[in-house]
Amino acid sequence: MVQRRHANWTIAIPMIVGAIPGAYFGGQFVSILPGTALTLVIGLFVLATTWVRLPKQDINGPITLGLVGGAIGAVGMVVSATGPLTSLFLSRNPDRRVVVATHATIMTAQHLSKIVVFVMLGFAIGPWLVLAAAMIMSGFAGTLVGTRLLERLPEKLFRFGLKALLTLIALGLVVRGLGF
């Protein structure tokens, strides 16, 4: 909500639309697939795409973006940590505000679709509502602080920080995927 005016809706909407059936599809496999193996693969993928110079291939068009959103939505049901994966499809935008706002929009919708699917699968959400509310409030406070920092942050420092953060998160996924 705080950064909505910067969101790129031509990217966000197809990815969100794709994430909904993707979450449902992924929910069918949530207890079957080994989460550690997928976590390791995603961590390695994020590391490779963050540091290896790939040929410039823009993901364009609503159908392609919808398929990407669906794949990320499905994987998110098993692995959960799809933020770095989603950011890979946004980080080429030259405006850091657009990157952050579009990422936040997509991730919010992905998390909401996961909640719906988990409830459909029988997960009792009631005992977790107080914790969820506290997390939402602290996340919103972080968003307000982060928005102020983002406005003052030079573009080069943002890009370096994004790359460093993606690397740290990816390394964490690799470590978790290896069972440490």
Side-chain angles (χ1 to χ4, degrees):
M1 292 304 295
V2 174
Q3 299 242 350
R4 69 185 173 277
R5 73 179 183 273
H6 295 294
N8 183 335
W9 295 100
T10 59
I11 293 174
I13 289 173
M15 288 186 78
I16 290 167
V17 169
I20 296 167
Y24 177 78
F25 179 76
Q28 308 311 304
F29 299 97
V30 75
S31 61
I32 299 170
L33 295 173
T36 54
L38 277 173
T39 301
L40 176 63
V41 168
I42 288 175
L44 292 172
F45 177 76
V46 170
L47 278 174
T49 55
T50 299
W51 289 101
V52 175
R53 284 268 179 212
L54 299 172
K56 204 170 199 175
Q57 296 206 350
D58 290 329
I59 305 294
N60 289 321
I63 292 172
T64 306
L65 288 167
L67 292 172
V68 167
I72 293 172
V75 168
M77 290 301 295
V78 179
V79 177
S80 181
T82 58
L85 193 56
T86 302
S87 71
L88 294 174
F89 298 98
L90 308 173
S91 61
R92 290 187 187 218
N93 190 295
D95 186 341
R96 65 189 178 279
R97 291 172 292 256
V98 172
V99 172
V100 170
T102 307
H103 187 267
T105 301
I106 293 167
M107 294 309 299
T108 299
Q110 284 183 357
H111 290 312
L112 289 173
S113 65
K114 287 193 314 188
I115 290 168
V116 170
V117 171
F118 277 125
V119 168
M120 287 172 43
L121 292 171
F123 180 79
I125 197 168
W128 299 96
L129 286 177
V130 172
L131 178 61
M135 291 171 66
I136 290 168
M137 288 187 302
S138 65
F140 186 72
T143 297
L144 294 175
V145 171
T147 297
R148 293 189 83 138
L149 290 173
L150 187 64
E151 294 298 326
R152 295 183 175 134
L153 196 64
E155 192 69 36
K156 266 188 164 178
L157 185 56
F158 170 77
R159 296 294 168 179
F160 172 79
L162 179 61
K163 200 170 192 175
L165 189 59
L166 285 172
T167 300
L168 289 173
I169 293 170
L171 289 173
L173 290 171
V174 168
V175 168
R176 275 189 15 219
L178 291 173
F180 295 110

